[in-house]
Amino acid sequence: MKIALMDSGIGLLAATAAVRRLRPDADLILSLDPDGMPWGPRTPEDLTGRALAVAEAAAAHRPDALIVGCNTATVHALPALRDRHEPGLPVVGTVPSIKPAAAGGGPFAIWATPATTGSAYQRGLIRDFADGVPVAEVPCHGLAEAVEHADEAAIDAAVAAAAALTPADVTTVVLGCTHYELVAERIRAAVRRPGRPPLALHGSAGAVAAQALRRIGAGPAPDAPADGTLTVLLSGREGVLPAPALSYAEGRLLRTATPAR
C-alpha cells in the first residue's frame, strides 16, 4: 500500500502521522513545495497551479491514494486535482471538523488562517453543519507560519493572540488549519478557562487518514509490521524532511521510516 500526501509545507505532518499509526506498513510519499510556499497569499489560480505540480510529482510514484493535507489547497484546488487524477487516483481533501463540533451543541470557535476566516467557504460549512449553534470565527495571524518554522516565541504569541479573541464560553475549538494540529496541546492550554470543563479540540487528521483507507478499500491495521518506507519530494526533487518537522512528535514518528529505494 502506498499513500501520498501533499501540502506546501509541514502542515501535512498530522495526517501523515495518522496514516502511519493506522497502517505502519504503508509506504508514504510526502510532496511539499518549498519553492512556492506559503500558498495562502497566492491567488486561487496560482495556488491551483502549484498544487497540481506538487500532485503530479507525487503521482509519478504511483500511490494508491492522494491526501491534500492542507485546508487552503482543498478549498481552491480540490476540484482541479480530482479532474486531473480521478478515478485512477482517489484524492482526499481536508475539511474543518465543523460537523462533529456542532453535534456537541455548545458554543464553539473555529481557529483558521485570516484568509479562511469569514470566507464564503467557511461560512457555507457553518451554515450547512452548525445552523443554530453559536460559532466564533477566530483569525490566527501568523500561527501557521510560526508552526512551519518551529519558531517557539512566535507560536506562543500567535496562540495567545487567538486565545484572546476566543469567547470565554467556548467549549470546543475546531482547528481549521492542518498546521495547528501540531501545537494542539498548546492551544488547549491557552484557551482553557479556570473552572470550565476541559476544552475539546477537533482536528481533521484522523478522519482524513481513515477516509483515504476507505477510498482504496483498506482498513486500519495498527499492529502491522512497521516496515513502510518514506519518500520526501521538495518541489518535485527527492530530499529529506525539513528540519523544523523534527520539532514535533508527528515528525519524529516519521524519522524511523526507511527511505524508499
Side-chain angles (χ1 to χ4, degrees):
M1 183 190 306
K2 191 179 290 187
I3 306 291
L5 300 97
M6 58 171 281
D7 190 3
S8 63
I10 64 173
L12 51 65
L13 285 179
T16 306
V19 173
R20 173 62 78 220
R21 293 185 184 105
L22 289 175
R23 292 299 302 243
D25 57 337
D27 295 336
L28 302 177
I29 302 119
L30 308 190
S31 192
L32 286 69
D33 188 26
D35 292 356
M37 65 178 296
W39 283 351
R42 294 181 176 274
T43 65
E45 296 76 17
D46 191 17
L47 186 155
T48 297
R50 302 296 310 188
L52 286 169
V54 167
E56 288 289 347
H61 290 256
R62 303 182 66 82
D64 299 299
L66 172 65
I67 293 172
V68 184
C70 172
N71 297 86
T72 302
T74 298
V75 171
H76 296 298
L78 188 61
L81 290 166
R82 285 181 167 162
D83 285 346
R84 176 74 60 88
H85 294 287
E86 291 192 342
L89 175 60
V91 180
V92 178
T94 300
V95 177
S97 299
I98 292 173
K99 186 176 182 179
F108 69 92
I110 305 170
W111 283 30
T113 63
T116 300
T117 301
S119 66
Y121 166 75
Q122 184 161 288
R123 292 279 169 86
L125 292 175
I126 293 170
R127 182 184 62 249
D128 292 342
F129 299 119
D131 188 33
V133 179
V135 180
E137 296 182 87
V138 177
C140 302
H141 296 276
L143 181 54
E145 293 81 3
V147 172
E148 179 70 33
H149 298 291
D151 184 330
E152 297 293 324
I155 292 170
D156 286 342
V159 168
L165 297 175
T166 303
D169 61 348
V170 156
T171 59
T172 300
V173 170
V174 172
L175 303 178
C177 171
T178 53
H179 281 81
Y180 303 169
E181 296 191 50
L182 301 178
V183 292
E185 291 311 310
R186 292 163 78 163
I187 292 171
R188 191 192 306 276
V191 176
R192 183 173 181 183
R193 316 298 189 196
R196 301 281 297 176
L199 183 76
L201 295 179
H202 284 274
S204 302
V208 166
Q211 174 66 2
L213 294 180
R214 282 194 293 270
R215 289 289 305 273
I216 61 176
D223 296 326
D227 53 9
T229 63
L230 179 69
T231 299
V232 178
L233 305 173
L234 305 174
S235 298
R237 306 176 299 273
E238 288 206 26
V240 298
L241 280 173
L246 301 180
S247 299
Y248 305 103
E250 293 85 350
R252 294 191 294 273
L253 176 66
L254 301 175
R255 185 168 50 185
T256 60
T258 305
R261 299 300 180 192

